[in-house]
């Protein structure tokens, strides 16, 4: 697995004007440093003022779906306490193996996320708060919780639960199942967890980064938040960027930033002096974009949507020209198929076939029918799962069939353009396959 690098936004006056970075300090901040920088948690009393501010700010979820945060807050705030419970969860599962931003955020600024968790809890009238992590909590998180508790800062005690290292474990229904003591598997919805979640209680699940933004909006207001980003998609987001050096660079970027500023221009002018053949945007449920065709695109869903892409949880990768995009796609799709919970038809029957067909394409000489089969099967699984996993997987696969069409032709002739065979996109070591790996 690659190492993660906290990469600051471009320096100098431009950086100050843009007000970035907002979320990531250069070194871990303990409670003392956090309070010196931000002051105490700005509780507002049980009013809807924070929800109004979040609506005005335009903050959307940073866990992948970009859903308006105020709408979930409002639903959970309106719902009654059920069986004495109403729940908020900071989702730090980061189950996408290429994403490293939540782990870094929680290591560098745990108090910002914990402030957001407490403020969201207050806004919706929650009775319990949870932090859901894909690793054992690090010393910064444990220290932050202990320091906050000893100073009586938190209104609700925070329960930490560890997620299994599975792709689906961060999906919100899987989160709720795991917090309830069961396997971290998605279940059929509706009802949504905001209406009926943990133990049947209304449950607000927000990504860790989303809560950090919320904590800043509670302090500085919606106008401050909107000072960066676009009119329709305000603010900044954390991105995990892979360039040809194959390390994970975490950078906070204003929404609307040109992707070329984050990924390199793809013309051989990147730091590593490597040409780039394609960009992957939105991670393993994301979309391949051809280079240089997509060079003018920006980091916002309006611009990305014109190419059938979305920012997702901010995973961006520049695929160097010396790698085989088809082989990379087949490898990741094999992982995604193995990660499905196998509960629904499209995952049980569709994804393994799609993965096997891609592996065939990535080999030497394939049946003529294989590309047509892949297109047909992708259409068949779409929209038919209990969660978004089949749809996200086929979005990734279909974009590969388009962007790497010339490579498919080469492989049909028994050739491959790659001169470097080392796997590029990160996957976890040793994929778990047993039933008990879901807990
Ligand atoms: C397969 C799958 C995996 C997901 N993994 C994560 C994750 O690791 N972390 C996360 O915050 N959201 C994840 N999500 C999104 C959650 O279901 C949920 O929408 C999110 O936590 C809500 O927070 P947000 O609105 O602040 O983004 C995943 C969704 C899917 C379909
Ligand atoms: S669609 Fe797939 S991943 Fe989602 S719940 Fe069904 S079997 Fe599991």
């Amino acid at each position: 697995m690659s190492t993660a690098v906290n990469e600051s936004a471009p320096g100098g006056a431009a950086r100050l004007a843009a007000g970035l970075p907002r979320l990531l300090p250069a070194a871990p901040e303990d409670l003392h440093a956090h309070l010196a920088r931000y002051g105490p948690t700005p509780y507002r009393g049980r009013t809807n003022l924070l929800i109004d501010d979040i609506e005005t700010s335009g903050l959307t979820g940073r866990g992948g779906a970009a859903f308006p945060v105020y709408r979930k807050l409002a639903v959970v705030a309106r719902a009654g306490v059920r069986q004495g419970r109403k729940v908020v969860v900071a989702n730090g599962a980061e189950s996408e193996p290429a994403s490293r931003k939540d782990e870094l955020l929680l290591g560098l600024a745990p108090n910002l996320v914990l402030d957001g968790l407490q403020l969201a809890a207050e806004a919706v009238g929650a009775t319990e708060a949870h932090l859901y992590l894909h690793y054992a909590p690090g010393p910064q998180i444990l220290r932050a919780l202990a320091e906050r508790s000893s100073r009586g800062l938190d209104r609700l005690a925070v329960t930490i639960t560890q997620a299994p290292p599975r792709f689906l474990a961060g999906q919100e229904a899987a989160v709720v199942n795991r917090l309830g003591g069961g396997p971290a598997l998605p279940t059929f919805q509706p009802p949504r967890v905001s209406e009926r979640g943990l133990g049947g209680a209304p449950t607000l699940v927000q990504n860790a980064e989303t809560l950090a933004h919320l904590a800043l909006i509670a302090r500085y207001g919606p106008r401050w938040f909107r000072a960066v980003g676009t009119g329709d998609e305000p603010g900044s987001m954390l991105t995990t960027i892979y360039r040809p050096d194959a390390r994970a660079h975490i950078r906070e970027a204003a929404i609307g930033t040109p992707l070329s500023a984050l990924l390199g221009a793809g013309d051989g002018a990147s730091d590593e002096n490597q040409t780039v053949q394609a960009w992957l945007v939105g991670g393993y449920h994301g979309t391949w974009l051809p280079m240089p065709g997509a060079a003018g695109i920006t980091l916002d869903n309006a611009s990305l949507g014109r190419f059938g892409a979305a920012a997702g949880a901010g995973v961006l990768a520049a695929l160097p020209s010396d790698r085989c995009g088809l082989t990379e796609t087949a490898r990741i799709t094999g992982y995604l198929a193995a990660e499905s919970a196998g509960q629904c038809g499209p995952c049980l029957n569709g994804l393994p076939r799609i993965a096997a067909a891609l592996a065939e394409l990535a080999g030497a000489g394939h049946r003529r029918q294989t590309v047509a089969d892949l297109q047909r099967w992708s259409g068949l699984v779409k929209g038919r799962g209990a969660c978004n996993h089949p749809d996200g997987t086929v979005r990734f696969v279909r974009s590969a069939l388009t962007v790497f069409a010339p490579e498919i032709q080469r492989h049909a002739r028994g050739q491959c353009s790659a001169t470097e065979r080392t796997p590029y996109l990160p996957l976890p070591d040793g994929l778990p396959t047993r039933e008990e790996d879901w807990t």
Side-chain angles (χ1 to χ4, degrees):
M1 184 65 78
S2 54
T3 47
V5 181
N6 181 16
E7 194 177 74
S8 56
R15 175 175 168 189
L16 289 177
L20 296 180
R22 291 171 163 183
L23 299 179
L24 295 178
E29 280 191 349
D30 64 4
L31 185 62
H32 181 74
H34 173 79
L35 290 174
R37 190 201 283 252
Y38 297 113
T41 318
Y43 290 111
R44 303 235 175 151
R46 282 282 323 274
T47 66
N48 281 335
L49 278 179
L50 180 62
I51 302 181
D52 292 347
D53 273 359
I54 297 299
E55 178 174 6
T56 312
S57 75
L59 175 65
T60 55
R62 302 298 196 241
F67 191 77
V69 175
Y70 83 91
R71 281 174 46 191
K72 276 203 309 203
L73 288 170
V75 167
V76 180
R78 269 199 306 272
V81 171
R82 205 165 289 137
Q83 282 157 358
R85 299 176 88 179
K86 197 189 265 194
V87 181
V88 288
V89 184
N91 189 354
E94 202 149 48
S95 51
E96 158 88 56
S99 180
R100 309 289 295 276
K101 53 121 184 161
D102 290 329
E103 183 178 1
L104 188 72
L105 173 64
L106 279 157
L108 291 178
N111 285 292
L112 209 50
V113 178
L114 294 171
D115 277 356
L117 182 63
Q118 295 292 333
L119 289 166
E122 183 193 44
V124 301
T127 61
E128 56 188 275
H130 296 259
L131 176 58
Y132 184 67
L133 300 171
H134 75 122
Y135 46 84
Q140 288 91 357
I141 296 173
L142 293 174
R143 181 174 175 190
L145 285 170
E147 287 176 338
R148 296 170 76 92
S149 162
S150 73
R151 298 195 42 173
L153 289 187
D154 287 344
R155 297 197 171 163
L156 294 177
V158 177
T159 306
I160 297 182
T161 302
Q162 205 176 323
R166 307 294 305 248
F167 190 78
L168 297 169
Q171 195 270 351
E172 63 180 9
V175 173
V176 164
N177 285 336
R178 181 73 198 105
L179 295 183
L185 290 172
T187 38
F188 280 91
Q189 294 178 318
R192 298 196 66 90
V193 300
S194 47
E195 291 156 19
R196 191 173 287 266
L198 184 56
T203 301
L204 178 76
V205 180
Q206 299 286 182
N207 172 254
E209 180 193 341
T210 310
L211 290 170
H213 287 292
L214 183 146
L216 291 179
I217 294 166
R219 289 179 162 95
Y220 305 131
R223 263 188 73 184
W224 167 86
F225 185 72
R226 286 182 162 276
V228 300
T230 71
D232 288 339
E233 298 172 61
S236 59
M237 68 184 289
L238 297 180
T239 57
T240 311
I241 303 172
Y242 294 85
R243 302 201 201 96
D245 67 0
R247 287 197 299 177
H249 299 258
I250 319 296
R251 159 118 42 120
E252 182 177 358
I255 296 182
T257 301
L259 283 194
S260 56
L262 301 169
L263 282 165
D267 56 0
S270 72
D271 302 348
E272 297 77 19
N273 207 23
Q274 264 268 17
T275 53
V276 167
Q277 56 175 308
W279 286 340
L280 176 63
V281 177
Y284 299 166
H285 274 177
T287 308
W288 287 107
L289 302 174
M291 288 300 293
I297 208 163
T298 51
L299 180 69
D300 53 274
N301 287 332
S303 171
L304 290 165
R306 288 195 278 279
F307 286 76
V315 171
L316 307 169
L319 184 71
S321 298
D322 61 0
R323 312 290 171 116
C324 174
L326 199 51
T327 305
E328 287 293 319
T329 305
R331 199 167 55 81
I332 302 302
T333 308
Y335 160 76
L336 293 172
E339 282 298 289
S340 98
Q343 304 179 116
C344 317
C347 275
L348 197 59
N349 305 314
L351 296 191
R353 277 195 201 181
I354 288 171
L358 267 168
E360 184 188 330
L361 290 190
H366 52 80
R367 288 171 299 124
R368 266 194 165 182
Q369 188 56 25
T370 306
V371 174
D373 282 347
L374 266 171
Q375 293 285 13
R376 191 165 50 86
W377 293 335
S378 297
L380 286 176
V381 302
K382 197 162 177 292
R384 293 193 37 232
C387 80
N388 191 38
H389 185 53
D391 291 26
T393 304
V394 299
R395 179 170 42 241
F396 174 68
V397 169
R398 280 178 151 167
S399 66
L401 295 180
T402 307
V403 172
F404 303 122
E407 192 64 30
I408 295 174
Q409 298 301 327
R410 255 178 238 120
H411 280 246
R413 296 192 299 271
Q415 300 162 352
C416 174
S417 62
T419 53
E420 173 60 63
R421 312 257 167 217
T422 327
Y424 183 67
L425 297 169
L427 281 179
D429 306 327
L431 301 180
T433 50
R434 297 165 303 146
E435 277 300 302
E436 54 270 36
D437 292 324
W438 290 102
T439 56

